[in-house]
Amino acid sequence: MIRFILLQNRQGKTRLAKYYVPLEDSEKHKVEYEVHRLVVNRDPKFTNFVEFRTHKVIYRRYAGLFFSMCVDITDNELAYLECIHLFVEILDHFFSNVCELDLVFNFHKVYLILDEFILAGELQETSKRAIIERMGELEKQE
Amino acid sequence: MAAPPSSTTVISSASSLADSLFQRSLDDLIKSLRSDPSSESVIISRAISEIHREIRSTDPLTKSIALQKLTYLSSLYFTSMSWAAFHTIELLPSSSLHTKRLAYLAASLSIHPSTTDLITLSTHQLHKDLTSLSNSSSSSPFLPSLPLQLLSLAASPDLSTHLAPDLVPLLSRPSPLQPKAVSAAYRVLSLCPSTVPVLFKPLVDCLSSDNPLTVSAAVGAFCELSAPPNDPSPYLPLAPEIYRVLVNSRSNWTLIKVLKIFSRLVPLEPRLGSRVVEPICQFLRESQAKSLVLECVKTVVTCLPTHTEAIQLAIGKIKELLSADDDPNLRYLGLQTLRMLAPQHLWALEENREVVAQSLIDPDRSISCEALRLMMAMTLQGNSVEICTLLVKQAAKSDPEFANEILDSVLTSCAKDFYELVVDFDWYVSLLGEMARIPHCMKGDEISRQLVDIGLRVRDARPELVRVARELLIDPSLLGNHFLYTVLSAAAWISGEYVEFSKDPMELVEALLQPRTSLLPTSARAVYIQSVLKVLTFSCNSYLEESGSAVNNTVITRMLSLIEMTVGPLAESDEAEVEDRVRNLLGAVRLVGNIKDHSGDKDKDGMIYEVVKGMVHLFSDEMGPVSTNAQKRVAVPDDLDLKENLADLSEFISDDDVDNATQFRSKDSILLYPRNHNASEEVELGPTRLAESTSLEEHRKRHGLYYLSSDKEARESELTEDYPLVNEKLLPLNGDTARRVKVTKPRPTVVKLDEGEDLKTSSSLSNKEEAKDDALSGAIMDALLGKNGEGPASAFDASSSRQGTSKDKEREIKSKKSEEGESKNRHKGKRRHRHRKEPEPGVSASQEKPVIQDFLL
């Protein structure tokens, strides 16, 4: 199960934070700070998995943004790495060559996309095409 | 709160048009935040005060924009949003889909039952939205996904109970929403076991749905539900369904989850293993997806250790992973899975030793930690010396964090089971000394504990201990290191206690009294001073025995004057511990000095002899480890009647029982007792235990903590099993228990004490923990095996026995499991009706069979 997803830039500013477990505001702050510190100092040649408290964080850096997912210790790392990549691909498609600014100004849309393919910490849909189709339909509704 | 912005000071709260004219949108807010990063907090507080005003407006558009801004600030700038919960809920019923979405997003990000109870206000709205598909055809077909999201994040038990029935149609009807409903349902289920009767069956039906996404979601749901710390046994009856998914599914993601579930079920039912191994081997041979292969390897290695073909395949794959030089991820995963092979297939680890050693010095912390753990897993008595020396050498070269990790693992594994791994204690003791000297070593506490522990338990290691201690004490540079003072005080204690093995007591005294010891904290100094006294006593005694007179000996005189000089000033020290011992020491020194100065020649030697002998006698008892069970084993003297009513004691015991309990308990925690003094302290201990048990009873009476019969005898015997006595909390954790070990030639004796009760209490403790988790499992088993009173539930009195003792529960689970095993066998085509393990009459047993069969069909 995914516990939380964080998108942070190199300076530590959070661009997206979605939690699938209940946490207080102060705890969230601490968590985001710690995760940032963990991933930002790692050499690109190192593994994409780090231990974080009693869980693990699977992260990847795309341009200036770190995409981090905190999962349970027993979860399959490679599968979640692909999950992160899927998310990035969808964002890329939706915003046409997404950059950080797109995420900043389209804050609600990003959440919408995320909610469409992850619910309750579980990946719902693995097909990029299906998600994009669904998002298109949702857009028409508005 | 900042002053309102100048451009919007003209807002009049009455006119909503004016509001919206001047209201800043989210984009404006973002732009202003980005344009001036230094005044971020000012802008934020300004925005919040605006929002406070705007959100109370009656115009839904204004409200929604305000909410949007607030959501943004809350999720990215950590401003609290909980005060707006009511407004968020107000916007949920909005007719505009856009506003609705905003409101649901805000709700799912900020509202949670633990922070506010307002969530229950939205029950009706959630209900409407969940059932919107059937009620109104005009609304969006995706509308229910909004409340599903909210429910999965913020379900409270109340909400779950009310809305669970609404989830059922979404679960049963095939639609794009079905997978989402499944995920939301499993969350609701795990939060609120009372919804099991409603939700469980539809959830199980989803396993056989045609929609692969639904199947995937269902498998994911069961994977999470059966994950530790939950009990996976209730899901055993679902094994046939899940097996079908294993064989038929084409989605790697689903297969990974299926494998996870099986890795939890196979240990419970070994026959399942033989069914599952075939498909898994096939995946291992053919699949191109690394993630699936990884999961297969993990499953094989953890729960199919006896299937040789599968293991061979798995080990082959691990070797491939380990040899991926260009991809650190794969190497890391290879190391991780290799470790899982540890207890049973150590030969595989040995084969890959080189890779492991290489990985230990890898700059990547994840990889090196994993390699460290692997090395610890490979350590046996035979190779412990080699491995530990290598590791400590590596620690000396590594950065502080990793060095401490290495030390930690070496210390823990060598100390396990009373130093099971250590054959040569001389080597180990010198290794401990080396460890203390590693720069940035922060494990001083553990090192000192082990030094003292070994001193107590392993007689043969004492000379080496004294040697190591001497080296540590002599070195003045160590005194400044505040991580090491526990090690130094342990070294001082050892030198004092086992001074007979020391080669040069004078040197010891000089080391213990060197000027830099003033840098030590009080506790360490106190130990140092006490050790000086012991060394002095020993020296006097040994010189006395050699030549009749110790007084005229130059060494002794030097020692005495050194002590006077260095310790004298401390007599007025602020710290009680130090002052106390200094005065003891000086007292002894001056006593000898007085005799020397004042007595007549004839008596001198005699009196000094008496004094010294007296002091030696003080320190002559050998200290040994004391079992924490020792008190229990103290026999109650015949003339002490424990059952006598001690009502008059209550006059002495005040209303706060707690104080008394802790007061008595602190006596127990003194670990070092002279062994032969146990007998004389019986009488003291007797009333101690007595008062303690009466105060415990008082406490229980007050809080009505009685589950068992009021029969005193029965209670006392059962207390030891089900309700651990206050003392017993100390028992399983402290390692001071075991049996006397037969000496194997090279390995010295390690003194251990009786173990017996240890196992019993630890199992009774774990029983208690199981009882807590069983609320959900119990409900699920009920759902699987029959919800009505007839059927197996009644045969075992499930509902009433759930409040019973944990032992009953275990029995219940075991017998239900055996039934489930039976029914599964039937499913697999083996007819075993007549093979009944439990002594139940055939009638109720046959009643329950059809229930399972129907259910699983």
Side-chain angles (χ1 to χ4, degrees), chain A residues 20 32 42 47-48 51 75-76 101 108 122 124 141-142, chain B residues 34 68 78 101 140 183 187 257 260 291 295 329 364 373:
Chain A
Y20 295 98
E32 288 174 29
R42 281 174 74 82
T47 60
N48 293 104
E51 279 181 25
D75 278 334
N76 188 315
L101 227 51
H108 289 92
E122 296 289 320
Q124 295 292 311
Q141 299 263 332
E142 288 217 19
Chain B
R34 286 175 60 81
Q68 199 180 33
F78 305 109
R101 278 224 189 94
S140 155
S183 296
R187 278 291 209 143
K257 302 249 161 181
K260 279 238 186 84
S291 49
E295 198 62 42
N329 287 339
D364 183 353
R373 280 186 219 131

PDB file of all heavy atoms in Angstrom, chain A residues 20 32 42 47-48 51 75-76 101 108 122 124 141-142, chain B residues 34 68 78 101 140 183 187 257 260 291 295 329 364 373:
ATOM      1  N   TYR A  20      -2.152   8.845   2.185  1.00  0.00           N
ATOM      2  CA  TYR A  20      -3.192   7.828   2.267  1.00  0.00           C
ATOM      3  C   TYR A  20      -3.302   7.251   3.664  1.00  0.00           C
ATOM      4  O   TYR A  20      -4.001   6.272   3.894  1.00  0.00           O
ATOM      5  CB  TYR A  20      -2.924   6.719   1.240  1.00  0.00           C
ATOM      6  CG  TYR A  20      -3.021   7.237  -0.165  1.00  0.00           C
ATOM      7  CD1 TYR A  20      -1.886   7.584  -0.870  1.00  0.00           C
ATOM      8  CD2 TYR A  20      -4.258   7.414  -0.778  1.00  0.00           C
ATOM      9  CE1 TYR A  20      -1.980   8.088  -2.150  1.00  0.00           C
ATOM     10  CE2 TYR A  20      -4.354   7.922  -2.058  1.00  0.00           C
ATOM     11  CZ  TYR A  20      -3.205   8.265  -2.742  1.00  0.00           C
ATOM     12  OH  TYR A  20      -3.296   8.766  -4.007  1.00  0.00           O
ATOM     13  N   GLU A  32       7.830  15.513   5.355  1.00  0.00           N
ATOM     14  CA  GLU A  32       8.279  16.071   4.084  1.00  0.00           C
ATOM     15  C   GLU A  32       9.713  16.553   4.182  1.00  0.00           C
ATOM     16  O   GLU A  32      10.512  16.367   3.262  1.00  0.00           O
ATOM     17  CB  GLU A  32       7.327  17.196   3.641  1.00  0.00           C
ATOM     18  CG  GLU A  32       6.000  16.620   3.186  1.00  0.00           C
ATOM     19  CD  GLU A  32       4.951  17.667   2.879  1.00  0.00           C
ATOM     20  OE1 GLU A  32       5.324  18.788   2.488  1.00  0.00           O
ATOM     21  OE2 GLU A  32       3.759  17.356   3.037  1.00  0.00           O
ATOM     22  N   ARG A  42      21.258  11.965  -2.241  1.00  0.00           N
ATOM     23  CA  ARG A  42      21.720  10.725  -2.822  1.00  0.00           C
ATOM     24  C   ARG A  42      22.249  10.927  -4.224  1.00  0.00           C
ATOM     25  O   ARG A  42      21.685  11.615  -5.045  1.00  0.00           O
ATOM     26  CB  ARG A  42      20.600   9.691  -2.811  1.00  0.00           C
ATOM     27  CG  ARG A  42      20.437   9.063  -1.465  1.00  0.00           C
ATOM     28  CD  ARG A  42      19.241   8.160  -1.447  1.00  0.00           C
ATOM     29  NE  ARG A  42      19.479   6.922  -2.157  1.00  0.00           N
ATOM     30  CZ  ARG A  42      20.103   5.881  -1.643  1.00  0.00           C
ATOM     31  NH1 ARG A  42      20.567   5.940  -0.428  1.00  0.00           N
ATOM     32  NH2 ARG A  42      20.261   4.782  -2.343  1.00  0.00           N
ATOM     33  N   THR A  47      20.909   3.432  -5.503  1.00  0.00           N
ATOM     34  CA  THR A  47      19.616   2.796  -5.737  1.00  0.00           C
ATOM     35  C   THR A  47      18.492   3.804  -5.526  1.00  0.00           C
ATOM     36  O   THR A  47      18.663   4.828  -4.870  1.00  0.00           O
ATOM     37  CB  THR A  47      19.373   1.646  -4.756  1.00  0.00           C
ATOM     38  OG1 THR A  47      19.394   2.180  -3.430  1.00  0.00           O
ATOM     39  CG2 THR A  47      20.414   0.576  -4.880  1.00  0.00           C
ATOM     40  N   ASN A  48      17.336   3.462  -6.065  1.00  0.00           N
ATOM     41  CA  ASN A  48      16.179   4.330  -5.916  1.00  0.00           C
ATOM     42  C   ASN A  48      15.351   4.000  -4.692  1.00  0.00           C
ATOM     43  O   ASN A  48      14.213   4.443  -4.572  1.00  0.00           O
ATOM     44  CB  ASN A  48      15.274   4.205  -7.150  1.00  0.00           C
ATOM     45  CG  ASN A  48      15.944   4.755  -8.376  1.00  0.00           C
ATOM     46  OD1 ASN A  48      16.413   4.007  -9.223  1.00  0.00           O
ATOM     47  ND2 ASN A  48      15.995   6.073  -8.466  1.00  0.00           N
ATOM     48  N   GLU A  51      15.441   3.379   3.035  1.00  0.00           N
ATOM     49  CA  GLU A  51      14.612   3.055   4.188  1.00  0.00           C
ATOM     50  C   GLU A  51      14.221   4.339   4.887  1.00  0.00           C
ATOM     51  O   GLU A  51      15.030   5.238   5.047  1.00  0.00           O
ATOM     52  CB  GLU A  51      15.384   2.174   5.151  1.00  0.00           C
ATOM     53  CG  GLU A  51      15.348   0.751   4.695  1.00  0.00           C
ATOM     54  CD  GLU A  51      16.081  -0.147   5.647  1.00  0.00           C
ATOM     55  OE1 GLU A  51      16.192   0.208   6.837  1.00  0.00           O
ATOM     56  OE2 GLU A  51      16.552  -1.190   5.174  1.00  0.00           O
ATOM     57  N   ASP A  75       6.685  -4.304   0.126  1.00  0.00           N
ATOM     58  CA  ASP A  75       6.197  -4.062  -1.226  1.00  0.00           C
ATOM     59  C   ASP A  75       7.275  -4.241  -2.280  1.00  0.00           C
ATOM     60  O   ASP A  75       8.467  -4.092  -2.008  1.00  0.00           O
ATOM     61  CB  ASP A  75       5.614  -2.642  -1.312  1.00  0.00           C
ATOM     62  CG  ASP A  75       4.188  -2.594  -0.790  1.00  0.00           C
ATOM     63  OD1 ASP A  75       3.519  -3.639  -0.834  1.00  0.00           O
ATOM     64  OD2 ASP A  75       3.758  -1.526  -0.339  1.00  0.00           O
ATOM     65  N   ASN A  76       6.823  -4.498  -3.481  1.00  0.00           N
ATOM     66  CA  ASN A  76       7.725  -4.756  -4.596  1.00  0.00           C
ATOM     67  C   ASN A  76       8.242  -3.440  -5.159  1.00  0.00           C
ATOM     68  O   ASN A  76       7.493  -2.670  -5.749  1.00  0.00           O
ATOM     69  CB  ASN A  76       6.945  -5.536  -5.655  1.00  0.00           C
ATOM     70  CG  ASN A  76       7.849  -6.025  -6.757  1.00  0.00           C
ATOM     71  OD1 ASN A  76       8.689  -5.291  -7.262  1.00  0.00           O
ATOM     72  ND2 ASN A  76       7.684  -7.277  -7.122  1.00  0.00           N
ATOM     73  N   LEU A 101       6.210  24.401 -13.374  1.00  0.00           N
ATOM     74  CA  LEU A 101       5.238  25.495 -13.330  1.00  0.00           C
ATOM     75  C   LEU A 101       3.825  24.997 -13.623  1.00  0.00           C
ATOM     76  O   LEU A 101       2.852  25.470 -13.021  1.00  0.00           O
ATOM     77  CB  LEU A 101       5.639  26.545 -14.366  1.00  0.00           C
ATOM     78  CG  LEU A 101       5.634  27.977 -13.882  1.00  0.00           C
ATOM     79  CD1 LEU A 101       6.417  28.106 -12.594  1.00  0.00           C
ATOM     80  CD2 LEU A 101       6.246  28.871 -14.942  1.00  0.00           C
ATOM     81  N   HIS A 108      -5.163  21.668  -8.777  1.00  0.00           N
ATOM     82  CA  HIS A 108      -6.320  20.795  -8.628  1.00  0.00           C
ATOM     83  C   HIS A 108      -6.384  19.716  -9.687  1.00  0.00           C
ATOM     84  O   HIS A 108      -6.802  18.583  -9.410  1.00  0.00           O
ATOM     85  CB  HIS A 108      -7.625  21.598  -8.664  1.00  0.00           C
ATOM     86  CG  HIS A 108      -7.797  22.412  -7.440  1.00  0.00           C
ATOM     87  ND1 HIS A 108      -7.378  23.704  -7.321  1.00  0.00           N
ATOM     88  CD2 HIS A 108      -8.320  22.088  -6.240  1.00  0.00           C
ATOM     89  CE1 HIS A 108      -7.643  24.152  -6.106  1.00  0.00           C
ATOM     90  NE2 HIS A 108      -8.219  23.192  -5.430  1.00  0.00           N
ATOM     91  N   GLU A 122      -3.887   2.187  -3.345  1.00  0.00           N
ATOM     92  CA  GLU A 122      -3.760   1.084  -4.291  1.00  0.00           C
ATOM     93  C   GLU A 122      -3.822   1.590  -5.710  1.00  0.00           C
ATOM     94  O   GLU A 122      -4.663   2.430  -6.035  1.00  0.00           O
ATOM     95  CB  GLU A 122      -4.904   0.091  -4.095  1.00  0.00           C
ATOM     96  CG  GLU A 122      -4.917  -0.587  -2.750  1.00  0.00           C
ATOM     97  CD  GLU A 122      -3.791  -1.577  -2.616  1.00  0.00           C
ATOM     98  OE1 GLU A 122      -3.504  -2.281  -3.591  1.00  0.00           O
ATOM     99  OE2 GLU A 122      -3.192  -1.631  -1.535  1.00  0.00           O
ATOM    100  N   GLN A 124      -5.070   1.666  -9.219  1.00  0.00           N
ATOM    101  CA  GLN A 124      -6.315   1.167  -9.789  1.00  0.00           C
ATOM    102  C   GLN A 124      -6.152   0.742 -11.234  1.00  0.00           C
ATOM    103  O   GLN A 124      -6.658  -0.255 -11.674  1.00  0.00           O
ATOM    104  CB  GLN A 124      -7.370   2.287  -9.762  1.00  0.00           C
ATOM    105  CG  GLN A 124      -7.761   2.717  -8.384  1.00  0.00           C
ATOM    106  CD  GLN A 124      -8.518   1.645  -7.678  1.00  0.00           C
ATOM    107  OE1 GLN A 124      -9.452   1.092  -8.225  1.00  0.00           O
ATOM    108  NE2 GLN A 124      -8.125   1.334  -6.478  1.00  0.00           N
ATOM    109  N   GLN A 141     -17.120  16.901 -18.823  1.00  0.00           N
ATOM    110  CA  GLN A 141     -18.237  17.062 -17.906  1.00  0.00           C
ATOM    111  C   GLN A 141     -18.263  18.445 -17.289  1.00  0.00           C
ATOM    112  O   GLN A 141     -19.300  18.940 -16.898  1.00  0.00           O
ATOM    113  CB  GLN A 141     -18.101  16.046 -16.770  1.00  0.00           C
ATOM    114  CG  GLN A 141     -18.115  14.619 -17.239  1.00  0.00           C
ATOM    115  CD  GLN A 141     -19.485  14.026 -17.110  1.00  0.00           C
ATOM    116  OE1 GLN A 141     -20.249  14.450 -16.256  1.00  0.00           O
ATOM    117  NE2 GLN A 141     -19.801  13.074 -17.946  1.00  0.00           N
ATOM    118  N   GLU A 142     -17.104  19.027 -17.130  1.00  0.00           N
ATOM    119  CA  GLU A 142     -17.039  20.293 -16.363  1.00  0.00           C
ATOM    120  C   GLU A 142     -17.661  21.460 -17.095  1.00  0.00           C
ATOM    121  O   GLU A 142     -17.409  21.660 -18.251  1.00  0.00           O
ATOM    122  CB  GLU A 142     -15.575  20.598 -16.077  1.00  0.00           C
ATOM    123  CG  GLU A 142     -15.032  19.641 -15.039  1.00  0.00           C
ATOM    124  CD  GLU A 142     -14.056  20.306 -14.082  1.00  0.00           C
ATOM    125  OE1 GLU A 142     -14.091  21.548 -13.997  1.00  0.00           O
ATOM    126  OE2 GLU A 142     -13.294  19.599 -13.446  1.00  0.00           O
TER     127      GLU A 142
ATOM    128  N   ARG B  34       4.693  33.668  -5.686  1.00  0.00           N
ATOM    129  CA  ARG B  34       5.916  33.428  -6.438  1.00  0.00           C
ATOM    130  C   ARG B  34       6.699  34.708  -6.690  1.00  0.00           C
ATOM    131  O   ARG B  34       7.915  34.685  -6.817  1.00  0.00           O
ATOM    132  CB  ARG B  34       5.576  32.788  -7.791  1.00  0.00           C
ATOM    133  CG  ARG B  34       5.176  31.345  -7.681  1.00  0.00           C
ATOM    134  CD  ARG B  34       4.742  30.836  -9.029  1.00  0.00           C
ATOM    135  NE  ARG B  34       5.821  30.948  -9.995  1.00  0.00           N
ATOM    136  CZ  ARG B  34       6.818  30.093 -10.109  1.00  0.00           C
ATOM    137  NH1 ARG B  34       6.888  29.068  -9.296  1.00  0.00           N
ATOM    138  NH2 ARG B  34       7.752  30.262 -11.022  1.00  0.00           N
ATOM    139  N   GLN B  68     -10.837  26.867  -2.424  1.00  0.00           N
ATOM    140  CA  GLN B  68      -9.765  26.425  -3.319  1.00  0.00           C
ATOM    141  C   GLN B  68      -8.424  26.996  -2.856  1.00  0.00           C
ATOM    142  O   GLN B  68      -7.423  26.284  -2.776  1.00  0.00           O
ATOM    143  CB  GLN B  68     -10.088  26.902  -4.733  1.00  0.00           C
ATOM    144  CG  GLN B  68      -9.344  26.177  -5.817  1.00  0.00           C
ATOM    145  CD  GLN B  68      -9.718  26.722  -7.185  1.00  0.00           C
ATOM    146  OE1 GLN B  68      -9.998  27.904  -7.341  1.00  0.00           O
ATOM    147  NE2 GLN B  68      -9.711  25.885  -8.190  1.00  0.00           N
ATOM    148  N   PHE B  78       1.361  24.213   4.664  1.00  0.00           N
ATOM    149  CA  PHE B  78       1.130  23.749   6.029  1.00  0.00           C
ATOM    150  C   PHE B  78       0.311  24.700   6.883  1.00  0.00           C
ATOM    151  O   PHE B  78       0.554  24.840   8.063  1.00  0.00           O
ATOM    152  CB  PHE B  78       2.446  23.493   6.765  1.00  0.00           C
ATOM    153  CG  PHE B  78       3.323  22.554   6.012  1.00  0.00           C
ATOM    154  CD1 PHE B  78       4.472  23.006   5.400  1.00  0.00           C
ATOM    155  CD2 PHE B  78       2.981  21.219   5.892  1.00  0.00           C
ATOM    156  CE1 PHE B  78       5.276  22.134   4.696  1.00  0.00           C
ATOM    157  CE2 PHE B  78       3.790  20.349   5.185  1.00  0.00           C
ATOM    158  CZ  PHE B  78       4.938  20.819   4.586  1.00  0.00           C
ATOM    159  N   ARG B 101     -16.375  18.981  -6.796  1.00  0.00           N
ATOM    160  CA  ARG B 101     -15.038  18.372  -6.798  1.00  0.00           C
ATOM    161  C   ARG B 101     -14.108  19.089  -5.831  1.00  0.00           C
ATOM    162  O   ARG B 101     -13.359  18.469  -5.088  1.00  0.00           O
ATOM    163  CB  ARG B 101     -14.416  18.482  -8.202  1.00  0.00           C
ATOM    164  CG  ARG B 101     -14.870  17.434  -9.119  1.00  0.00           C
ATOM    165  CD  ARG B 101     -13.694  16.876  -9.895  1.00  0.00           C
ATOM    166  NE  ARG B 101     -14.234  16.020 -10.928  1.00  0.00           N
ATOM    167  CZ  ARG B 101     -14.487  16.428 -12.151  1.00  0.00           C
ATOM    168  NH1 ARG B 101     -14.172  17.651 -12.520  1.00  0.00           N
ATOM    169  NH2 ARG B 101     -15.037  15.609 -13.021  1.00  0.00           N
ATOM    170  N   SER B 140     -23.382  12.893 -13.466  1.00  0.00           N
ATOM    171  CA  SER B 140     -22.227  12.279 -14.116  1.00  0.00           C
ATOM    172  C   SER B 140     -22.044  10.839 -13.647  1.00  0.00           C
ATOM    173  O   SER B 140     -22.219  10.528 -12.483  1.00  0.00           O
ATOM    174  CB  SER B 140     -20.988  13.098 -13.763  1.00  0.00           C
ATOM    175  OG  SER B 140     -19.849  12.299 -13.847  1.00  0.00           O
ATOM    176  N   SER B 183     -11.693  -0.900  -3.616  1.00  0.00           N
ATOM    177  CA  SER B 183     -10.656  -0.355  -2.739  1.00  0.00           C
ATOM    178  C   SER B 183     -11.245   0.402  -1.570  1.00  0.00           C
ATOM    179  O   SER B 183     -10.783   0.283  -0.434  1.00  0.00           O
ATOM    180  CB  SER B 183      -9.723   0.560  -3.529  1.00  0.00           C
ATOM    181  OG  SER B 183      -9.049  -0.164  -4.508  1.00  0.00           O
ATOM    182  N   ARG B 187     -11.020  -0.566   2.670  1.00  0.00           N
ATOM    183  CA  ARG B 187     -10.630   0.366   3.727  1.00  0.00           C
ATOM    184  C   ARG B 187     -11.678   0.451   4.802  1.00  0.00           C
ATOM    185  O   ARG B 187     -11.380   0.444   6.000  1.00  0.00           O
ATOM    186  CB  ARG B 187     -10.462   1.762   3.143  1.00  0.00           C
ATOM    187  CG  ARG B 187      -9.199   1.988   2.509  1.00  0.00           C
ATOM    188  CD  ARG B 187      -8.060   2.034   3.495  1.00  0.00           C
ATOM    189  NE  ARG B 187      -7.084   2.900   2.900  1.00  0.00           N
ATOM    190  CZ  ARG B 187      -6.315   3.751   3.492  1.00  0.00           C
ATOM    191  NH1 ARG B 187      -6.318   3.793   4.748  1.00  0.00           N
ATOM    192  NH2 ARG B 187      -5.535   4.528   2.823  1.00  0.00           N
ATOM    193  N   LYS B 257       0.454  -9.111  -6.588  1.00  0.00           N
ATOM    194  CA  LYS B 257      -0.362  -9.114  -5.372  1.00  0.00           C
ATOM    195  C   LYS B 257      -0.785 -10.526  -5.001  1.00  0.00           C
ATOM    196  O   LYS B 257      -0.808 -10.899  -3.821  1.00  0.00           O
ATOM    197  CB  LYS B 257      -1.617  -8.271  -5.582  1.00  0.00           C
ATOM    198  CG  LYS B 257      -1.336  -6.858  -5.957  1.00  0.00           C
ATOM    199  CD  LYS B 257      -1.717  -5.929  -4.854  1.00  0.00           C
ATOM    200  CE  LYS B 257      -0.986  -4.623  -5.083  1.00  0.00           C
ATOM    201  NZ  LYS B 257      -1.126  -3.617  -4.234  1.00  0.00           N
ATOM    202  N   LYS B 260       1.898 -12.238  -3.262  1.00  0.00           N
ATOM    203  CA  LYS B 260       2.036 -11.778  -1.869  1.00  0.00           C
ATOM    204  C   LYS B 260       1.057 -12.505  -0.956  1.00  0.00           C
ATOM    205  O   LYS B 260       1.406 -12.914   0.154  1.00  0.00           O
ATOM    206  CB  LYS B 260       1.722 -10.289  -1.793  1.00  0.00           C
ATOM    207  CG  LYS B 260       2.809  -9.377  -2.191  1.00  0.00           C
ATOM    208  CD  LYS B 260       3.106  -8.453  -1.029  1.00  0.00           C
ATOM    209  CE  LYS B 260       4.081  -7.390  -1.356  1.00  0.00           C
ATOM    210  NZ  LYS B 260       3.395  -6.259  -1.985  1.00  0.00           N
ATOM    211  N   SER B 291       9.836  -7.157 -12.307  1.00  0.00           N
ATOM    212  CA  SER B 291       9.133  -7.019 -11.033  1.00  0.00           C
ATOM    213  C   SER B 291       8.443  -8.322 -10.657  1.00  0.00           C
ATOM    214  O   SER B 291       8.455  -8.736  -9.495  1.00  0.00           O
ATOM    215  CB  SER B 291       8.123  -5.880 -11.100  1.00  0.00           C
ATOM    216  OG  SER B 291       7.324  -6.001 -12.255  1.00  0.00           O
ATOM    217  N   GLU B 295       9.194 -10.810  -7.444  1.00  0.00           N
ATOM    218  CA  GLU B 295       8.198 -11.247  -6.483  1.00  0.00           C
ATOM    219  C   GLU B 295       8.172 -12.764  -6.381  1.00  0.00           C
ATOM    220  O   GLU B 295       8.031 -13.324  -5.293  1.00  0.00           O
ATOM    221  CB  GLU B 295       6.818 -10.707  -6.886  1.00  0.00           C
ATOM    222  CG  GLU B 295       5.801 -10.724  -5.771  1.00  0.00           C
ATOM    223  CD  GLU B 295       6.192  -9.852  -4.589  1.00  0.00           C
ATOM    224  OE1 GLU B 295       6.689  -8.734  -4.810  1.00  0.00           O
ATOM    225  OE2 GLU B 295       6.010 -10.294  -3.450  1.00  0.00           O
ATOM    226  N   ASN B 329      20.015  -0.838  -8.473  1.00  0.00           N
ATOM    227  CA  ASN B 329      18.730  -1.318  -7.957  1.00  0.00           C
ATOM    228  C   ASN B 329      18.690  -2.832  -7.938  1.00  0.00           C
ATOM    229  O   ASN B 329      18.301  -3.459  -6.958  1.00  0.00           O
ATOM    230  CB  ASN B 329      17.572  -0.812  -8.834  1.00  0.00           C
ATOM    231  CG  ASN B 329      17.315   0.656  -8.620  1.00  0.00           C
ATOM    232  OD1 ASN B 329      17.695   1.207  -7.605  1.00  0.00           O
ATOM    233  ND2 ASN B 329      16.686   1.283  -9.584  1.00  0.00           N
ATOM    234  N   ASP B 364      27.063   3.472  -1.624  1.00  0.00           N
ATOM    235  CA  ASP B 364      25.618   3.632  -1.441  1.00  0.00           C
ATOM    236  C   ASP B 364      25.192   3.021  -0.106  1.00  0.00           C
ATOM    237  O   ASP B 364      25.369   1.834   0.132  1.00  0.00           O
ATOM    238  CB  ASP B 364      24.898   2.934  -2.609  1.00  0.00           C
ATOM    239  CG  ASP B 364      23.395   3.098  -2.548  1.00  0.00           C
ATOM    240  OD1 ASP B 364      22.875   3.636  -1.540  1.00  0.00           O
ATOM    241  OD2 ASP B 364      22.732   2.692  -3.495  1.00  0.00           O
ATOM    242  N   ARG B 373      23.834  -6.610   6.776  1.00  0.00           N
ATOM    243  CA  ARG B 373      22.852  -7.542   7.334  1.00  0.00           C
ATOM    244  C   ARG B 373      23.106  -8.955   6.828  1.00  0.00           C
ATOM    245  O   ARG B 373      22.946  -9.933   7.554  1.00  0.00           O
ATOM    246  CB  ARG B 373      21.445  -7.107   6.949  1.00  0.00           C
ATOM    247  CG  ARG B 373      20.952  -5.995   7.825  1.00  0.00           C
ATOM    248  CD  ARG B 373      19.522  -5.644   7.567  1.00  0.00           C
ATOM    249  NE  ARG B 373      19.389  -4.220   7.652  1.00  0.00           N
ATOM    250  CZ  ARG B 373      18.786  -3.466   6.765  1.00  0.00           C
ATOM    251  NH1 ARG B 373      18.259  -4.010   5.683  1.00  0.00           N
ATOM    252  NH2 ARG B 373      18.727  -2.175   6.910  1.00  0.00           N
TER     253      ARG B 373
END
